[in-house]
């Protein structure tokens, strides 16, 4: 009964399982504390970005600015962090606040500006990546080793990346999505008119969803900063496509209303780890985008193969 | 009720086109006042040349947006097609064959986009986003990340930077295609069907039109336009390079929306898009004249687009 809610995540779980088995056969070292750490570190940024995308997709929109917010927060964190623990914490909070602000801009424009989410986030994609480039015209910056260690290190078989992800998942995501806000977000995505009629404040819900998305995207940027220990205004670009791919692969419904966190998070690990598996299998890294785009397209087509079996095209049009 | 809605919508569209041309006039005057040195044929010539590339991409984008979809695969479709042309011509094939192959490439990519949207009923936003990534990878694999260092064929250079009676050849190509597009949108069956799909695809299907073929047409035009722009940009820059299409995602879409075409489809047209293309090009030129760096340009440009959309391309209140 409890599993039925997570049915949509099965594809991602199976895919990740098969991938890890294949990887283990090729490279048994992954089953060591070191290997576990590497695997966990690889997917955490995308997992957080996927959660940022998921909350917006649940409202029925799409956030094309996720990648730009990841870049922006990466640049801010790497540029201003300093080396004193107090300043590190302050800059982390500041970065999350900037992410929230970016989400607020998107949300206000969608909710009160009444502009299509695609157009809003396509424009803010340029704005946020321009700001990132202003903060950090050249790649670089300073990240103290203890910050990188705290997020990318590990304790035995327990990578700190998993701890960070679980904190975001169970201390932030789950309580919020189980609250009235979470219900409202799903309701707005499913049927905005109906949600309005049921007394839900649609604009406020949309704004809070985009703010939440901005915070998760900034968290992804913070994690990325620990991973790369530098700032780069162009580093986040691929996270827009890959976060959408993870959300789709993880079984969320584009158009809104349906989707649970485990699917996209696991799909994010799949999409990140498959790159190193391909590398291990001797395939040129140039194929990375081919696989990322290709996987998204194949998953999309498989999800909609039923359209080929339909006798009456009209039933499809009416959907 | 529906009648009233339709009337309001069509008023709005005409209004949008008028606003776009008024804005264009204002912008030109503002540009000349800001910097009287700009009021020269040389400046206008340069604007027309660049506007041609954007306008050609915006033909397909207008059609795709009219049917309520969007084509995000333009940047790497443009690059990939240009790379195909450059490698073929540096391998010694004739220019015409190379250009034909590039245009065919664009058409096929457009057709694949359309199959996902029309047959599998996928949202064009994610489908073409996936296509864009696929083509990015394909370009890297195809060239081994080393773009061909060939001499650009003279014909291609002439098309992009040549002049006919002092007018940029690229702008003349654009003008020809623009007239054709406006006639097709207003007078042909295909044009009417595009608007019909944007308004109500089911109604069009029930009246006996296979709407899938119309969607196919719109995306193929978009793919063709991206490939043609890729060829012209190769001539303009005298080279093909990875990432040459990166600037051509938001800007043509912005031209379409500023030109008054409804983002949800169903109303608008190419006449407005022409003004939109000129507006975005002049804006960019002004930002360059003001010596704002690339980062600042991106920020200002994004803000201006949002401001213009807020001004006159808002959606109806969803809860009315």
């Amino acid at each position: 009964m409890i599993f039925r809610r997570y049915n949509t995540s099965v594809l991602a779980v199976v895919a990740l399982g098969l991938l890890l088995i294949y990887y283990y056969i090729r490279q048994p070292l992954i089953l060591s504390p070191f290997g576990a750490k590497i695997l966990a570190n690889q997917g955490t940024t995308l997992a957080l970005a996927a959660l940022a995308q998921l909350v917006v997709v649940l409202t029925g929109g799409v956030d094309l600015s996720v990648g730009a917010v990841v870049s922006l927060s990466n640049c801010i964190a790497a540029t201003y962090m300093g080396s004193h623990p107090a300043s590190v914490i302050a800059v982390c909070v500041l970065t999350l606040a900037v992410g929230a602000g970016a989400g607020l801009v998107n949300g206000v424009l969608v909710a009160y500006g009444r502009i299509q989410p695609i157009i809003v986030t396509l424009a803010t994609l340029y704005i946020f990546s321009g700001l990132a480039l202003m903060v950090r015209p050249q790649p670089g910056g300073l990240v103290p080793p203890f910050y990188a260690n705290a997020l990318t290190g590990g304790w035995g078989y327990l990578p700190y990346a998993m701890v960070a992800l679980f904190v975001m998942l169970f201390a932030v995501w789950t309580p919020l999505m189980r609250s009235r806000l979470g219900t409202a977000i799903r309701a707005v995505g499913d049927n905005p008119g109906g949600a309005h009629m049921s007394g839900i404040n649609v604009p406020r819900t949309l704004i809070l969803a985009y703010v939440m998305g901005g915070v998760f995207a900034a968290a992804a940027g913070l994690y990325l900063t620990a991973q790369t220990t530098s700032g780069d205004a162009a580093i986040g670009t691929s996270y827009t496509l890959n976060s959408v791919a993870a959300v789709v692969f993880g079984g969320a419904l584009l158009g809104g209303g349906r989707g649970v966190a485990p699917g996209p998070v696991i799909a994010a690990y799949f999409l990140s780890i498959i790159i190193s598996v391909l590398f291990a299998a001797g395939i040129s890294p140039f194929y990375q985008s081919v696989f990322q785009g290709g996987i998204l397209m194949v998953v999309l087509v498989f999800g909609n193969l039923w359209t080929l079996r339909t006798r009456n095209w009209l039933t499809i049009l009416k959907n | 009720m529906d009648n009233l809605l339709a009337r309001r919508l069509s008023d709005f569209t005409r209004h949008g086109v008028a606003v776009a041309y008024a804005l264009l006039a204002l912008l030109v005057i503002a540009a000349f006042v800001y910097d009287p040195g700009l009021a020269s044929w040389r400046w206008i010539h340069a604007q027309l040349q660049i506007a041609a590339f954007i306008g050609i991409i915006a033909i397909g984008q207008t059609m795709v947006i009219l049917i309520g979809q969007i084509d995000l695969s333009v940047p790497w479709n443009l690059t990939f097609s240009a790379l195909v042309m450059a490698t073929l011509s540096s391998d010694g094939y004739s220019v015409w064959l190379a250009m034909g192959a590039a245009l065919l490439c664009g058409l096929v990519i457009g057709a694949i986009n359309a199959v996902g949207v029309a047959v599998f009923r996928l949202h064009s936003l994610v489908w073409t986003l996936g296509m864009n990534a696929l083509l990015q990878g394909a370009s890297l694999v195809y060239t081994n990340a080393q773009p061909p260092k060939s001499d650009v064929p003279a014909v291609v250079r002439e098309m992009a930077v040549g002049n006919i009676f002092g007018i940029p050849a690229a702008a003349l190509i654009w003008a020809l295609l623009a007239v054709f597009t406006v006639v097709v949108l207003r007078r042909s069956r295909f044009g009417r069907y595009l608007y019909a799909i944007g308004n109500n695809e089911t109604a069009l299907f029930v009246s006996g039109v296979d709407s899938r073929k119309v969607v196919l047409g719109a995306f193929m035009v978009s793919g063709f336009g991206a490939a043609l722009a890729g060829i012209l940009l190769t001539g303009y820059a005298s080279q093909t390079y990875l990432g040459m299409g990166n600037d051509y995602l938001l800007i043509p879409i912005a031209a379409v929306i500023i030109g008054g075409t409804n983002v949800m489809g169903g109303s608008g047209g190419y006449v407005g898009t022409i003004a939109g293309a000129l507006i975005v090009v002049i804006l960019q030129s002004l930002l360059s004249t003001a010596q704002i760096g690339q980062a600042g340009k991106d920020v200002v440009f994004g803000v201006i687009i949002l401001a213009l959309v807020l001004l006159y391309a808002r959606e109806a209140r969803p809860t009315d």
Side-chain angles (χ1 to χ4, degrees):
Chain A
M1 204 35 218
I2 187 160
F3 289 111
R4 185 174 296 167
R5 193 192 314 165
Y6 298 109
N7 261 350
T8 51
S9 308
V10 169
L11 178 66
V13 173
V14 171
L16 182 64
L18 290 176
L19 183 73
L20 288 177
I21 291 170
Y22 175 77
Y23 200 7
Y24 176 68
I25 293 169
R26 286 208 78 100
Q27 183 53 275
L29 260 177
I30 64 163
L31 210 67
S32 65
F34 179 72
K37 205 168 68 185
I38 298 283
L39 286 180
N41 288 351
Q42 243 161 23
T44 303
T45 307
L46 184 56
L48 292 169
L51 288 174
Q53 189 67 259
L54 177 61
V55 66
V56 173
V57 166
L58 281 175
T59 68
V62 169
D63 189 350
L64 294 178
S65 71
V66 164
V69 177
V70 170
S71 296
L72 179 59
S73 55
N74 169 243
C75 288
I76 292 175
T79 307
Y80 300 114
M81 197 166 256
S83 52
H84 193 272
S87 77
V88 169
I89 290 170
V91 168
C92 284
V93 172
L94 171 82
T95 309
L96 292 174
V98 170
L104 184 69
V105 171
N106 283 334
V108 167
L109 286 165
V110 169
Y112 290 109
R114 301 203 301 273
I115 310 173
Q116 276 283 299
I118 306 171
I119 304 300
V120 170
T121 55
L122 191 60
T124 54
L125 158 75
Y126 279 74
I127 297 176
F128 299 150
S129 45
L131 291 175
L133 202 57
M134 284 178 178
V135 172
R136 184 138 276 294
Q138 271 89 37
L142 185 78
V143 176
F146 71 85
Y147 174 76
N149 263 334
L151 287 174
T152 60
W155 184 67
Y157 276 93
L158 179 74
Y160 296 148
M162 283 292 122
V163 179
L165 180 70
F166 283 170
V167 165
M168 288 304 283
L169 206 51
F170 294 115
V172 183
W173 178 273
T174 311
L176 275 172
M177 291 315 281
R178 297 238 167 124
S179 71
R180 292 167 65 117
L181 174 66
T183 314
I185 287 174
R186 284 170 207 280
V188 168
D190 198 49
N191 180 350
H196 174 71
M197 288 305 189
S198 326
I200 290 172
N201 186 337
V202 176
R204 203 188 66 144
T205 307
L206 282 174
I207 290 174
L208 288 175
Y210 278 90
V211 169
M212 206 172 140
V215 171
F216 271 90
L222 283 176
Y223 190 82
L224 188 62
T225 311
Q227 239 185 321
T228 62
T229 64
S230 77
D232 179 353
I235 199 164
T237 320
S238 66
Y239 286 98
T240 297
L241 170 88
N242 287 332
S243 66
V244 174
V247 164
V248 171
F249 200 178
L253 197 68
L254 287 165
R258 251 151 271 181
V260 285
V265 168
I266 291 164
Y269 279 97
F270 173 83
L271 289 170
S272 311
I273 293 171
I274 195 168
I275 301 307
S276 27
V277 173
L278 291 174
F279 201 61
I283 293 172
S284 146
F286 294 154
Y287 279 93
Q288 182 170 337
S289 299
V290 175
F291 274 92
Q292 285 168 340
I295 289 169
L296 172 62
M297 292 173 83
V298 168
V299 170
L300 284 168
V301 164
F302 268 91
N304 276 22
L305 269 184
W306 56 272
T307 54
L308 293 180
R309 285 200 309 267
T310 319
R311 286 237 191 93
N312 187 351
W313 196 249
L314 205 54
T315 53
I316 291 178
L317 287 178
K318 277 189 176 156
N319 269 333
Chain B
M1 176 62 204
D2 271 348
N3 231 335
L4 184 72
L5 197 71
R7 210 179 317 141
R8 270 180 61 185
L9 267 176
S10 90
D11 281 345
F12 173 73
T13 320
R14 260 179 239 134
H15 185 65
V17 173
V19 172
Y21 277 92
L23 201 66
L24 176 60
L26 266 176
L27 200 60
V28 172
I29 294 168
F32 289 167
V33 170
Y34 171 75
D35 184 353
L38 290 180
S40 68
W41 173 242
R42 226 186 66 207
W43 183 74
I44 297 169
H45 185 273
Q47 304 317 306
L48 281 176
Q49 180 134 42
I50 301 166
F53 308 139
I54 290 161
I56 287 170
I57 296 172
I59 292 175
Q61 201 69 263
T62 304
M63 291 185 180
V64 169
I65 290 178
L66 275 177
I67 61 172
Q69 306 288 350
I70 200 159
D71 185 357
L72 297 184
S73 70
V74 166
W76 285 95
N77 181 354
L78 187 158
T79 310
F80 186 74
S81 303
L83 287 171
V84 166
M85 185 199 62
T87 34
L88 282 182
S89 69
S90 65
D91 284 350
Y93 291 97
S94 87
V95 195
W96 304 106
L97 187 89
M99 282 204 281
L103 294 174
L104 187 69
C105 220
L107 285 172
V108 170
I109 291 163
I112 301 172
N113 282 338
V115 167
V117 173
V119 178
F120 292 107
R121 311 303 299 172
L122 298 164
H123 200 304
S124 55
L125 174 77
V126 280
W127 180 249
T128 56
L129 197 63
M131 184 55 137
N132 195 41
L134 192 71
L135 290 170
Q136 177 179 5
S139 305
L140 281 171
V141 173
Y142 181 58
T143 59
N144 262 323
Q146 296 288 318
K149 285 198 180 73
S150 67
D151 293 327
V152 176
V155 181
V156 175
R157 256 198 85 66
E158 253 339 276
M159 273 168 58
V161 295
N163 289 300
I164 298 172
F165 302 122
I167 298 167
L172 287 176
I173 298 175
W174 177 33
L176 267 173
L177 292 173
V179 170
F180 186 67
T181 306
V182 171
V183 172
V184 163
L185 283 180
R186 291 203 170 166
R187 291 276 175 263
S188 79
R189 229 185 258 180
F190 173 67
R192 245 177 306 137
Y193 293 162
L194 288 175
Y195 288 89
I197 290 184
N199 281 313
N200 190 339
E201 185 170 0
T202 313
L204 182 71
F205 185 78
V206 174
S207 33
V209 179
D210 189 349
S211 54
R212 285 169 285 188
K213 287 181 188 156
V214 184
V215 174
L216 180 71
F219 275 98
M220 282 175 79
V221 170
S222 184
F224 182 87
L228 181 57
I231 294 172
L232 291 175
L233 280 168
T234 302
Y236 185 69
S238 292
Q239 59 171 336
T240 41
Y241 51 97
L242 295 164
M244 65 190 283
N246 289 353
D247 288 339
Y248 294 90
L249 179 61
L250 174 68
I251 290 167
I253 293 175
V256 175
I257 294 164
I258 292 171
T261 297
N262 187 345
V263 194
M264 302 292 284
S267 69
Y270 194 67
V271 177
T273 304
I274 296 171
L278 292 167
I279 289 173
V280 288
V281 169
I282 295 175
L283 273 177
Q284 282 194 316
S285 158
L286 286 181
L287 291 178
S288 302
T289 320
Q291 310 236 311
I292 296 174
Q294 188 55 44
K297 235 170 163 179
D298 282 349
V299 173
V300 175
F301 202 73
V303 170
I304 291 173
I305 298 298
L306 283 173
L308 291 177
V309 175
L310 265 181
L311 211 73
Y312 66 93
R314 302 174 79 186
E315 279 180 72
R317 208 177 279 277
T319 44
D320 273 351

